[in-house]
Amino acid sequence: MLSRVEMEELEARQLAPYAQRSSASRGRAYPEVEHPYRTAFQRDRDRILHTTAFRRLEYKTQVFVNYEGDHYRTRLTHTLEVAQIARTMARALRLNEDLVEAIALAHDLGHTPFGHAGEAALHEIMADKGGFNHNTHGLRIVEKLEKRYPDFPGLNLTWEVREGIIKHVTDYDFPEAHQYEPEHRATMEGQIINLADEVAYDTHILDGGLRSGLIQPRQLQSLPLWARALEALHLQKADQITSVERSRINRHLIDLEVTDVITATEAGLRALRPASVEEVRDQPTDMVCFSLAMKERNQELRRFLMANLYRHWRVVRMAERAKRMLTRLFEAYVQAPQQLPSWVQTLIDGEGLERVVCDYLAGMTDRFAI
């Protein structure tokens, strides 16, 4: 049997000096005996995987609401795709894959039903009660709301995984890392999730837009990324593409972006030559990055998706319906909290009625809310 101690020794030999080692973790809020054949980050990954919040991601919206079709991405499939992309990057850069996977699996736990529309609705509803931020709520889930152990609240994850959750940053994610050294960068393992999320989100939303017919191939012909993919795959510019061609283009775009992240990050590492995790955390900007050219191409793609998909009348209609639904549910529960399940009602004295209702709504799946 390969013991935990032997795994930690393997990490010491194989990982880069700037990688976060399991044996060097800052530990857990509540001390626990170490596992004989799983490292601390492997245990965290497993705890996240078995939570109620993780299972609910299966029926939470990415962009297209669950009832729109069986083949669109959900929060769960997106999360698994982020984990796969992030592990590929981590392996190439000699980082801690177990830490990367744990953060990736947890990075969307705090999302509401109905995607960003649901989050916007709860943030507006709770504006005078502290607002709502899905990163902050995700941390609240793993630190407090999941009830799975008799000796402590939450999952009692390691400090590094909790930091990775709260410091997740994209165009849609804004961290509130007050208690997790906001003056320092996340570990490189945490930084990887930011870009893996972007790669998965943008390429797969593009794929969903094409699948749904809300985006037509001819609309994409002016985008450099799209043109580059067609040229590399020897595909003709056309008004229609087959499902196989769509899949080939999607794979190529992911490979193109992942390769760019690895190459650009490696160049930065060669220039800085960090000898420790602390050196990486002390940098003014993230070490894990796109090249400037790829960053601009991604921004062009994102602007296109915003104009042609997110503002498409069908998507706007879904979003507005979601906001109305969550607002009406919130008002109904606040006006008559006896409608809440009894175990939820017991939390009101300690947390306050509005926050308890907000937590309850945030935990709902799309279909349960409907």
Side-chain angles (χ1 to χ4, degrees), residues 20 32 68 77 86 102 170 224 234 254 264 289 296 311 324 327 350 363:
Q20 175 65 56
E32 294 185 56
E68 290 283 325
T77 59
T170 69
H234 306 292
I254 293 171
C289 62
E296 176 57 32
R311 292 176 183 159
R324 289 195 301 272
T327 300

Side-chain angles (χ1 to χ4, degrees), residues 2 10 87 92 101 132 163 224 263 288 299-300 312 366:
L2 187 64
L10 282 173
R87 287 193 64 167
E101 186 174 25
F132 181 88
E163 183 202 37
T263 303
V288 183
Q299 288 172 347
E300 290 169 349
H312 191 285
D366 294 9

